[in-house]
Amino acid sequence: MLAVILVALVFDYTNGFHDAANAIATSVSTRALSPRTGLIMAALGNFAGAHLGGAVAKTVGSGIIHPPSGMSGLGIVFAGVVGAITWNLITWYFGIPSSSSHALVGGLVGASLGAMLFDVEGATVLWSGIVEKVVIPMVASPLVGFTLGGLFMIAIYWIFRNGNPRKLNKGFRYAQTVSAAAMSVGHGMQDAAKTMGIVVLALYAGGYQDNTTHIPEWVFWTSSTMLALGTYSGGWRIIRTLGRKVIDLDPPQGFAAETVASGVLFTTSWLGVPISTTHTITSAIMGVGATKRLSAVRWNVAGNILIAWVLTFPAAGAIAVVAYMIARPLF
């Protein structure tokens, strides 16, 4: 049990430094925030947002897989999280902003399928829940982020069409402090909740509670703390990709991307739908950039990101299958 909870918290930490870029890359690239100030804000926002993500945690804990009780169930959860951590580290090394959320779901599904190959009784993948709560939002959230990002940027261009560019840039840098803070809270609502769901799964599989929906208070505090610490450590490789390699952002564009992405995160968190913060902010950045001119977006970089998005679920799942086979004798 302790090993499963510890590996879940390690995932939480890697999630933090892997996804730190989601909250602050645009603000750092436009010089609205210094890198260190941005990371402090992101860490605090993640810590606060984690306490508001109970609905997402319940979805992850009860809507993706149904592990058997006992040691075999703990082995499935352990291997699933190991698959997610491994894929996070691979994509972090190459500076690719992939989805920690989809890596976690893919890992859990892969580990469950691995258990089913060994005829472990009670191992179940809840495919209807995955389609409804993961696959559909996985496709919809980038489209929504791209579309709303473009529309919001067009509205800003029209409203401030007669403004002084220098004054506007200065004003939007201040505004980005607010939008980056909102993005940080939204990230905490989504991503800390996923670790909470994993810990609850482990508690259920270990027989420490009789359901997968109750979230003990200590789970909120430990998950939020580890995510905040991971965020503060900073994933600079991915921050550079999102902040500079996809598009050269100015302050109004950064504000628009962060505002749209945080709005989507707040809405889906309230609905209990676990979406990818990475997909949301990246697609919003592309949508904002495309309003200036299509060539402003470096589509070759965007294409590499898209490939990583497609590979994340099966790759994390495959790694989790291997992890389950290795760890199975221990569980």
Side-chain angles (χ1 to χ4, degrees), residues 91-102:
T91 51
W92 164 80
Y93 180 80
F94 289 103
I96 301 171
S98 66
S99 170
S100 297
S101 305
H102 296 157

Side-chain angles (χ1 to χ4, degrees), residues 81-314:
V81 179
V82 168
I85 292 172
T86 305
W87 185 248
N88 269 358
L89 293 176
I90 291 171
T91 51
W92 164 80
Y93 180 80
F94 289 103
I96 301 171
S98 66
S99 170
S100 297
S101 305
H102 296 157
L104 181 59
V105 174
L108 290 174
V109 171
S112 295
L113 292 176
M116 292 164 68
L117 289 174
F118 286 95
D119 295 323
V120 174
E121 186 176 352
T124 306
V125 177
L126 304 176
W127 292 111
S128 61
I130 291 172
V131 171
E132 179 184 352
K133 297 291 188 178
V134 179
V135 175
I136 293 175
M138 178 175 68
V139 175
S141 59
L143 296 176
V144 170
F146 185 90
T147 302
L148 292 183
L151 292 175
F152 191 46
M153 194 66 237
I154 290 171
I156 288 175
Y157 281 141
W158 187 82
I159 293 170
F160 297 99
R161 62 190 182 280
N162 296 321
N164 182 291
R166 185 174 180 180
K167 290 182 178 179
L168 287 175
N169 281 339
K170 183 177 181 180
F172 275 106
R173 282 196 179 96
Y174 288 121
Q176 271 197 277
T177 303
V178 178
S179 60
M183 187 67 200
S184 301
V185 173
H187 180 261
M189 293 171 71
Q190 277 285 338
D191 284 40
K194 289 149 192 169
T195 297
M196 288 187 262
I198 292 302
V199 175
V200 167
L201 265 179
L203 292 173
Y204 170 79
Y208 288 89
Q209 62 184 56
D210 60 2
N211 63 75
T212 56
T213 56
H214 172 66
I215 307 169
E217 189 63 28
W218 67 266
V219 176
F220 279 98
W221 286 98
T222 53
S223 298
S224 59
T225 299
M226 289 301 293
L227 184 68
L229 290 174
T231 299
Y232 184 70
S233 69
W236 297 110
R237 295 170 185 262
I238 297 175
I239 287 174
R240 283 192 289 270
T241 298
L242 272 184
R244 298 174 186 173
K245 293 184 179 179
V246 175
I247 183 176
D248 294 318
L249 294 168
D250 58 30
Q253 291 173 328
F255 171 78
E258 289 172 340
T259 300
V260 166
S262 60
V264 173
L265 293 177
F266 273 73
T267 301
T268 52
S269 297
W270 178 71
L271 294 172
V273 177
I275 67 167
S276 168
T277 56
T278 305
H279 290 193
T280 305
I281 185 62
T282 304
S283 59
I285 289 172
M286 293 179 186
V288 164
T291 61
K292 190 172 185 179
R293 62 182 187 279
L294 287 177
S295 60
V297 179
R298 298 183 180 96
W299 294 107
N300 60 327
V301 177
N304 292 335
I305 293 172
L306 180 61
I307 292 171
W309 288 3
V310 173
L311 289 178
T312 291
F313 193 99

Side-chain angles (χ1 to χ4, degrees), residues 40-87:
I40 292 173
M41 175 185 288
L44 293 175
N46 281 339
F47 184 85
H51 295 271
L52 305 173
V56 173
K58 291 177 182 178
T59 298
V60 173
S62 60
I64 307 300
I65 66 170
H66 186 79
S69 59
M71 293 297 289
S72 57
L74 290 174
I76 292 172
V77 177
F78 178 86
V81 179
V82 168
I85 292 172
T86 305
W87 185 248

